[in-house]
C-alpha cells in the first residue's frame, strides 16, 4: 500500500514525526542543562514539522475526495500546526513534547487502521477471485471443444458464398451467447 499520486503513506509520516520528536527531546534535555537551542535548530524543526503536516494534508485531501476523510487525521494535522507554531516561536516546553507524543500515538493508530483496511480489502478481493475461478471442469471442457469446432468451421469457411458465410457467423454467434 503506497498512496495515490504523490501521497506519502501514513507510516512514512509516522517515521518522520518520530525522528522529529527525538530531536525535540534532545533539545529539551540540552535546555535542561542550560544550553539554549539555536534559532537555526528551531527553524529546521519547524520546517520539518511543516513538511510532515503537508504530507498528511495531502493524504487527508486524497481521502476526502474518495469520501474517506477522517476526523482523526484532521486532529493530527491541527496538533502538528500547533507544534509548528511553538517551534517557530522557539517555545520548547513540556506541552510541545506531550503534544508530539500524542501526535505519534494517533499516527500509529491511523497506520494500524490502514493496515486492517488493506487486509480486509485483500481478503474481499481473494474471496471474489475464488468465486470467479470456480467454473466446473466439465463446462470448461465443453467450451474448449466448442472452441475447436468453431475454429474448424472457420478454417473451412473461407470459400463459402456470402450467404453461407452469414449462416456460419450466425451459428458462431448463437454458440457464443448461450
Amino acid at each position: 500500500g503506497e498512496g495515490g499520486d504523490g501521497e506519502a503513506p501514513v507510516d512514512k509520516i509516522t517515521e518522520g514525526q518520530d525522528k522529529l520528536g527525538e530531536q525535540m527531546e534532545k533539545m529539551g534535555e540540552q535546555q535542561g542543562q542550560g544550553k539554549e537551542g539555536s534559532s537555526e535548530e528551531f527553524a529546521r524543526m519547524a520546517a520539518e514539522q511543516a513538511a510532515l503536516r503537508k504530507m498528511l494534508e495531502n493524504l487527508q485531501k486524497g481521502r476526502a475526495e474518495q469520501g474517506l476523510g477522517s476526523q482523526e487525521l484532521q486532529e493530527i494535522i491541527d496538533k502538528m500546526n500547533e507544534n509548528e507554531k511553538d517551534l517557530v516561536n522557539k517555545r520548547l516546553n513540556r506541552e510541545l513534547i506531550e503534544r508530539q507524543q500524542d501526535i505519534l500515538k494517533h499516527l500509529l493508530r491511523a497506520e494500524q487502521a490502514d493496515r486492517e483496511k488493506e487486509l480486509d480489502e485483500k481478503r474481499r478481493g481473494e474471496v471474489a477471485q475464488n468465486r470467479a475461478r470456480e467454473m466446473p471442469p466439465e463446462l470448461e471442457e465443453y467450451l474448449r471443444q466448442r472452441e475447436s469446432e468453431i475454429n474448424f468451421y472457420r478454417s473451412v469457411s473461407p470459400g463459402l458464398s456470402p450467404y453461407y458465410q452469414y449462416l456460419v457467423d450466425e451459428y458462431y454467434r448463437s454458440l457464443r451467447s448461450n
Side-chain angles (χ1 to χ4, degrees), residues 57-120:
E57 279 171 353
N58 259 344
L59 193 67
Q60 172 79 318
K61 207 175 92 205
R63 291 185 181 185
E65 281 161 14
Q66 302 165 16
L68 302 169
S70 106
Q71 188 51 47
E72 176 136 51
L73 290 189
Q74 193 50 57
E75 283 169 22
I76 302 173
I77 290 167
D78 295 341
K79 286 185 184 204
M80 286 178 164
N81 220 345
E82 292 295 305
N83 271 10
E84 213 175 302
K85 273 187 228 156
D86 280 348
L87 289 166
V88 165
N89 293 307
K90 305 196 191 56
R91 277 197 302 266
L92 184 73
N93 47 27
R94 195 64 229 149
E95 206 184 327
L96 174 65
I97 304 272
E98 274 167 18
R99 196 186 304 118
Q100 152 61 19
Q101 288 166 345
D102 213 30
I103 289 174
L104 210 50
K105 196 172 68 196
H106 283 281
L107 280 171
L108 287 166
R109 202 179 301 153
E111 214 179 292
Q112 184 62 30
D114 279 2
R115 218 171 286 129
E116 280 163 19
K117 201 167 121 266
E118 250 169 55
L119 277 176
D120 269 359

Side-chain angles (χ1 to χ4, degrees), residues 22-65:
E22 283 169 16
Q23 292 168 29
M24 286 179 197
E25 304 212 356
K26 200 181 282 161
M27 202 194 251
E29 283 161 19
Q30 287 173 351
Q31 272 189 6
Q33 300 155 9
K35 290 196 208 100
E36 285 302 310
S38 69
S39 301
E40 193 189 331
E41 280 177 294
F42 272 112
R44 199 187 61 239
M45 281 159 61
E48 276 176 41
Q49 185 63 83
L52 290 163
R53 176 181 50 79
K54 286 200 188 92
M55 281 177 176
L56 198 56
E57 279 171 353
N58 259 344
L59 193 67
Q60 172 79 318
K61 207 175 92 205
R63 291 185 181 185
E65 281 161 14

